[in-house]
Amino acid sequence: MSIENLNNLDPFADDIGNDEAGVGKQEGFIHLRVQQRNGRKTLTTIQGISPEYDLKKLVKACKKEFACNGCVVEHSEYGEVMQLQGDQRRNVAAFLAETGIARPETIKVHGF
């Protein structure tokens, strides 16, 4: 008696390469950070989104969804980074997961 069904599937293989209907084509982590400006003003930065997505269109959708202002900034170390006004970390994490840009386990939320 032999077990043949284990030859086809490796249960310990990484699941990163599998596309489930195109959801989460993100290779690395997406980092959501908040920066303190002056007084009560904060700035949310989103770094690590795959280059296949147009960041300007994503910023436009986020601005409309969260009723805040934002832009795309070229950072010397991180490359292109999205910036949104206010503490939008939870909103952005939910938005990226809902739209299928990234899986929830690939989104890292940093900050105080």
Side-chain angles (χ1 to χ4, degrees), residues 23-24 26 30-32 46-47 49 53 58 62 66 82 89-104 106-107:
V23 174
Q26 189 65 32
I30 294 178
H31 299 277
L32 306 176
I46 302 109
Q47 175 255 325
I49 294 179
Y53 296 107
L58 280 175
C62 287
F66 312 136
M82 288 174 43
R89 292 173 292 174
R90 291 185 183 150
N91 296 336
V92 171
F95 177 77
L96 292 175
E98 280 178 12
T99 56
I101 293 174
R103 296 183 184 143
T106 62
I107 299 172

Side-chain angles (χ1 to χ4, degrees), residues 57-68:
K57 288 185 179 180
L58 280 175
V59 166
K60 187 174 181 178
C62 287
K63 286 167 56 172
K64 195 169 197 171
E65 181 77 20
F66 312 136
C68 67

Side-chain angles (χ1 to χ4, degrees), residues 36-107:
Q36 188 72 33
R37 285 180 44 219
N38 47 357
R40 293 175 43 203
K41 309 283 185 184
T42 57
L43 189 68
T44 302
T45 59
I46 302 109
Q47 175 255 325
I49 294 179
S50 178
E52 68 184 33
Y53 296 107
D54 187 9
L55 291 183
K56 292 183 181 181
K57 288 185 179 180
L58 280 175
V59 166
K60 187 174 181 178
C62 287
K63 286 167 56 172
K64 195 169 197 171
E65 181 77 20
F66 312 136
C68 67
N69 201 4
C71 64
V72 177
V73 176
E74 183 67 34
H75 192 271
S76 60
E77 186 177 345
Y78 301 127
E80 284 190 328
V81 176
M82 288 174 43
Q83 289 184 345
L84 297 174
Q85 286 182 351
D87 188 1
Q88 306 291 341
R89 292 173 292 174
R90 291 185 183 150
N91 296 336
V92 171
F95 177 77
L96 292 175
E98 280 178 12
T99 56
I101 293 174
R103 296 183 184 143
E105 58 267 11
T106 62
I107 299 172

